[in-house]
């Protein structure tokens, strides 16, 4: 099915060159699902493309709406791009029904939540989504922020960065997002933060769905509300971890080589994408739940 986006987006041209079906806004059918992407990442076009690739070719037409925060001025994406393609959350919900929301990560692990300049605005979005029972994927920093806001679970800073592609075991095989996913699946992680597992297991409202021995919890869900909290980055392009590693090398940060990423752990070898089929299946499983919820 087509992905419905502004066809002037740089990502639209890339996806069409890759042979994916792209339609302009206004191309609707009764089966169309409207998903809002609250994009908190600094370089927004890269994140747009990553998530669009996961959503493309689902069983349903998807209209993707790009959302920014009104209380934060983005310095790493051109103002023209923001003005042309993004709307605030308030403007977005006024435009029609929203069937699902994805809130991305952000490089804010070392900032106290309450000191984030858009904290009041983003937590207002969190509250709205829970109040309206809107299915939501909280990704990386958003997952930590969401569980802190909703459940008081603190984000813990790690002494070294988790970076690499990690194997995961499934703890809740009946969860709809795990449909068709093999135990031992791989997903990239890139973060300095984690949760104390005991905090999640002590909360009867939360359920751990999948975790990694080396990277910790990957996915948790709320038992009552349609909320998923995801620490990994299944959306990452094959060279994203490589770019981050070389960026940190250039900064003199002496980063560790991303684990299980380069063949023979040699950064001179091009990485092999072992996760996108799984990440796409997880996204499409979530989209399937949106369609059921819609009807």
């Amino acid at each position: 099915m087509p992905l419905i986006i502004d066809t002037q987006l740089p990502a639209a041209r890339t996806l069409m060159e890759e042979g994916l079906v792209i339609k302009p806004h206004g191309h609707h059918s009764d089966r169309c699902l409207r998903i809002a992407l609250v994009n908190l990442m600094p370089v927004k076009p890269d994140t747009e493309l990553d998530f669009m690739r996961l959503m493309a070719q689902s069983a349903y037409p998807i209209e993707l709406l790009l959302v920014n925060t009104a209380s934060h001025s983005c310095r790493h994406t051109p103002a023209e791009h923001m003005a042309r393609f993004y709307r605030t959350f308030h403007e977005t919900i006024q435009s029609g029904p929203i069937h699902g929301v994805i809130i991305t990560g952000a490089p804010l692990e070392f900032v106290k939540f309450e000191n984030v300049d858009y904290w009041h605005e983003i937590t207002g979005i969190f509250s709205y989504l829970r109040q309206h029972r809107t299915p939501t994927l909280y990704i990386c920093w958003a997952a930590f922020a969401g569980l802190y806001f909703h459940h008081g679970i603190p984000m813990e800073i790690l002494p070294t960065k988790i970076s690499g592609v990690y194997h995961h075991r499934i703890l809740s095989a009946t969860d709809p997002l795990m449909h068709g996913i093999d135990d031992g699946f791989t997903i990239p992680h890139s973060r300095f933060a984690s949760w104390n597992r005991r905090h999640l297991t002590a909360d009867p409202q939360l359920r751990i769905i999948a975790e990694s021995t080396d990277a910790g919890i990957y996915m948790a869900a709320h038992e009552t509300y349609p909320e998923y909290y995801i620490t990994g980055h299944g959306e990452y392009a094959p060279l994203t971890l490589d770019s981050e590693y070389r960026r940190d090398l250039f900064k003199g940060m002496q980063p560790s080589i991303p684990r299980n990423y380069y063949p023979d752990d040699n950064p001179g070898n091009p990485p092999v994408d072992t996760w996108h089929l799984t990440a796409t299946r997880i996204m499409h499983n979530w989209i399937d739940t949106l369609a059921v919820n819609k009807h």
Side-chain angles (χ1 to χ4, degrees):
M1 291 287 111
L3 186 63
I4 301 166
I5 56 177
D6 191 316
T7 54
Q8 297 305 305
L9 276 163
R13 295 191 290 274
T14 300
L15 293 171
M16 287 188 283
E17 289 170 359
E18 294 174 0
L20 299 175
V21 179
I22 303 299
K23 298 291 183 180
H25 287 300
H27 183 89
H28 289 285
S29 71
D30 291 340
R31 299 180 72 236
C32 184
L33 298 171
R34 302 179 83 234
I35 298 176
L37 177 66
V38 182
N39 189 353
L40 305 179
M41 289 296 287
V43 184
K44 300 193 186 298
D46 291 351
T47 304
E48 295 159 15
L49 180 59
D50 287 344
F51 279 101
M52 288 175 188
R53 281 198 178 109
L54 292 187
M55 293 182 200
Q57 297 182 305
S58 78
Y60 299 88
I62 303 297
E63 181 176 23
L64 186 64
L65 308 164
L66 300 178
V67 177
N68 69 326
T69 51
S71 49
H72 176 77
S73 179
C74 182
R75 301 191 305 269
H76 300 280
T77 298
E80 296 81 5
H81 185 93
M82 300 303 298
R84 174 69 176 83
F85 302 117
Y86 278 77
R87 298 294 179 267
T88 66
F89 187 75
H90 177 75
E91 291 169 332
T92 301
I93 61 176
Q94 296 301 312
S95 69
I98 304 299
H99 303 112
V101 174
I102 301 169
I103 309 177
T104 75
L108 295 169
E109 293 150 310
F110 296 103
V111 180
K112 185 179 178 182
F113 287 124
E114 291 83 359
N115 290 341
V116 172
D117 60 2
Y118 51 78
W119 182 247
H120 179 74
E121 181 180 3
I122 198 68
T123 55
I125 294 173
F126 294 171
S127 295
Y128 176 94
L129 296 174
R130 177 165 282 195
Q131 179 184 351
H132 290 82
R133 303 186 69 88
T134 305
T136 305
L137 298 183
Y138 291 86
I139 308 295
C140 203
W141 180 84
F144 293 110
L147 279 191
Y148 173 76
F149 178 73
H150 287 310
H151 294 267
I153 295 176
M155 175 177 67
E156 299 189 354
I157 300 300
L158 301 170
T160 57
K161 185 179 184 179
I162 294 175
S163 176
V165 181
Y166 296 86
H167 292 270
H168 300 77
R169 60 191 182 113
I170 298 173
L171 303 186
S172 183
T174 59
D175 189 274
L177 267 62
M178 293 293 104
H179 177 70
I181 304 298
D182 292 331
D183 204 21
F185 68 90
T186 60
I187 289 288
H189 288 257
S190 178
R191 52 188 165 84
F192 281 99
S194 190
W195 291 302
N196 185 320
R197 192 179 190 278
R198 290 176 296 179
H199 290 153
L200 274 76
T201 57
D203 191 325
Q205 299 180 89
L206 300 174
R207 170 171 41 94
I208 299 173
I209 295 173
E211 64 181 354
S212 165
T213 300
D214 297 319
I217 295 170
Y218 163 61
M219 182 187 295
H222 198 282
E223 292 285 13
T224 304
Y225 295 98
E227 302 167 355
Y228 287 91
Y229 299 89
I230 299 171
T231 61
H233 288 285
E235 78 280 2
Y236 267 12
L239 292 178
T240 300
L241 284 176
D242 178 71
S243 297
E244 292 181 353
Y245 171 67
R246 298 184 190 282
R247 175 201 65 198
D248 292 347
L249 274 178
F250 181 78
K251 291 181 178 179
M253 297 173 61
Q254 298 183 324
S256 298
I257 295 172
R259 296 182 62 178
N260 312 311
Y261 180 57
Y262 300 109
D264 301 321
D265 289 328
N266 180 355
N269 293 329
V272 178
D273 184 343
T274 62
W275 64 89
H276 255 103
L277 288 178
T278 296
T280 300
R281 183 61 184 265
I282 291 172
M283 178 61 74
H284 287 188
N285 285 345
W286 181 65
I287 289 170
D288 289 345
T289 70
L290 302 186
V292 172
N293 186 68
K294 177 183 177 183
H295 299 292

